[in-house]
Amino acid sequence: MDYDHFFNAALDTLHQERRYRVFVTLEKDAARFPHATRQTPTGTSDVVIWCSNDYLGMSMHPDTIGAMVDTARQMGVGAGGTRNISGTSGPIVALERALADLHRKESALVFTSGYVSNETGIATLAKLLPDCLLLSDEWNHNSMIQGVRRSGAEKAVFRHNDLEHLEDLLKAAGRERPKMIVFESVYSMDGDVSPIHAVCDLADKYNALTYIDEVHAVGIYGERGGGYSEEVGAQDRLDIIEATLAKGFGCIGGYLAAKSSIIDAVRSNAHGFIFTTALPPAVAAAAAASVTHLMNSNTERLAQRKQVQRTKEVLVKAGLPVRKNPTHIVPVIIGDAERTKLASDLLLDDHGIYVQPINYPTVPRGTERLRITPTPFHSDELIDQLADALVAVWGKLGLPLHAPQEDA
Ligand SMILES: Cc1ncc(COP(=O)(O)O)c(C=O)c1O
């Protein structure tokens, strides 16, 4: 059989649908972020990164680097086993304690990524609840969708942030049936937020568990970086908080925080927790240093907030189609895959600015975009350069600029 034929056909489809992934290869220098060097076919060139999810630059913080290096010297670079079989290290246990404290929950459980924590966490929780109905926001991340699918439980997808629709589905299921509402706090592509208190009100009314993904919010929102639920005072109302150590905290790994009975049940049942090597102690130590720093200091949060606000203002004033939201994510909508890719290429090649194009299926067709993420390290000068470059690209591609606006 000609197996190559199948792979080549798949590649043709990816090219046709503009879903073929081309990676930008970066050499980063922690001291120079967001400046980096890009490898090109003919050599290297300088770029400014505008699409990193290391939102606060914590991957380069002296506390995180120091904790990682010191711990690696002492404990090595690998965990050496699964959590059950010699992989539970002091730094992981300390990290779990810090995360439970961060979210004011009894316990936390660390996984190898946020993706894994969602996929295995949701699947395991739903399997533990007989005849569970999972109520899932239509814009939930792929890791949650996969968790819902793998659970084998019945699912009911509600329209994005639509409380009436959610209530209809809850009502139809009745109070007695086990139910879990699965949703996010900050939705990463539009940067909009969910009505957490209102969802919790419905959960109370219809006797449902709440599971929230705070991946794009931890470290960034709340007085101690506990996420959007801390920002709006809803941490205590949520049953399970899931998040990542890889974005605001700048490391790698994911976790669940909840009451001890829930965490204990997941720990002994979740395949994605049991059958894989644990996070290395050095990574856990770095993550704990990052969490602890952001629990005690507002420096990075405030600096990021200021630069996000300025970026939004400058881009809106330049007439660029920025989608409004209350968060740190700055979506600039183009609306078709071809021109979004071209805009990204022109920014990179002509202006040394790296913003990855976001196309279908990550966002719905017709809303293809550039997703810009300012950090505390993007200076006023870099923001002005970004706006000038975007306006030049918009001109080159014949994309419409709005009349200059004052508000962002
Ligand atoms: C909403 C959401 N949840 C979960 C994840 C997965 O997190 P991680 O990157 O730690 O695997 C992502 C990743 O981008 C995400 O956007």
Side-chain angles (χ1 to χ4, degrees), residues 314-370:
V314 171
L315 299 195
V316 168
K317 262 194 194 140
L320 290 153
V322 175
R323 186 164 279 187
K324 279 190 183 180
N325 65 43
T327 66
H328 58 286
I329 291 156
V330 185
V332 183
I333 308 296
I334 294 179
D336 78 73
E338 184 82 45
R339 286 190 296 177
T340 306
K341 172 81 175 76
L342 280 173
S344 170
D345 288 348
L346 286 172
L347 284 170
L348 195 58
D349 294 336
D350 294 358
H351 303 273
I353 285 174
Y354 173 38
V355 189
Q356 187 68 24
I358 307 284
N359 289 336
Y360 175 83
T362 310
V363 293
R365 285 189 213 278
T367 71
E368 290 83 353
R369 68 197 63 188
L370 300 175

Side-chain angles (χ1 to χ4, degrees), residues 60 71 139 213 220 242 270 276 307 373:
M60 291 152 296
T71 311
W139 283 10
D213 173 310
I220 300 163
E242 182 276 344
T276 189
Q307 295 318 81
T373 48

Side-chain angles (χ1 to χ4, degrees), residues 131-173:
D131 191 31
C132 177
L133 176 69
L134 289 171
L135 299 115
S136 176
D137 188 289
E138 67 175 326
W139 283 10
N140 277 343
H141 186 255
N142 181 273
S143 52
M144 305 164 84
I145 295 170
Q146 297 306 329
V148 169
R149 283 194 187 142
R150 211 163 64 67
S151 73
E154 189 187 340
K155 72 165 185 228
V157 176
F158 58 95
R159 286 186 294 274
H160 177 56
N161 276 350
D162 185 334
L163 293 166
E164 270 179 41
H165 192 201
L166 175 59
E167 178 155 21
D168 287 346
L169 296 170
L170 285 164
K171 204 184 281 175

Side-chain angles (χ1 to χ4, degrees), residues 3-123:
Y3 285 97
D4 282 350
H5 165 79
F6 297 113
F7 297 117
N8 289 332
L11 287 171
D12 281 349
T13 308
L14 287 168
H15 279 295
Q16 270 164 25
E17 295 182 356
R18 314 251 162 246
R19 291 195 293 125
Y20 183 76
R21 310 258 160 179
V22 182
F23 297 112
V24 172
T25 306
L26 301 169
E27 303 296 338
K28 291 194 209 172
D29 172 349
R32 287 179 65 231
F33 183 81
H35 297 274
T37 307
R38 171 172 71 113
Q39 289 177 15
T40 66
T42 52
T44 59
S45 69
D46 280 349
V47 289
V48 178
I49 305 170
W50 273 102
C51 56
S52 172
N53 280 346
D54 185 5
Y55 294 126
L56 301 172
M58 288 307 290
S59 82
M60 291 152 296
H61 194 280
D63 287 5
T64 51
I65 294 176
M68 180 173 272
V69 171
D70 290 351
T71 311
R73 284 225 170 86
Q74 212 187 320
M75 302 184 75
V77 295
T82 65
R83 285 294 296 273
N84 286 332
I85 308 174
S86 92
T88 295
S89 58
I92 271 209
V93 173
L95 172 62
E96 287 176 338
R97 277 203 206 105
L99 292 168
D101 178 22
L102 173 67
H103 294 292
R104 303 208 185 284
K105 300 287 176 202
E106 287 171 3
S107 291
L109 193 64
V110 170
F111 300 79
T112 46
S113 74
Y115 193 100
V116 172
S117 51
N118 266 335
E119 194 198 30
T120 200
I122 294 169

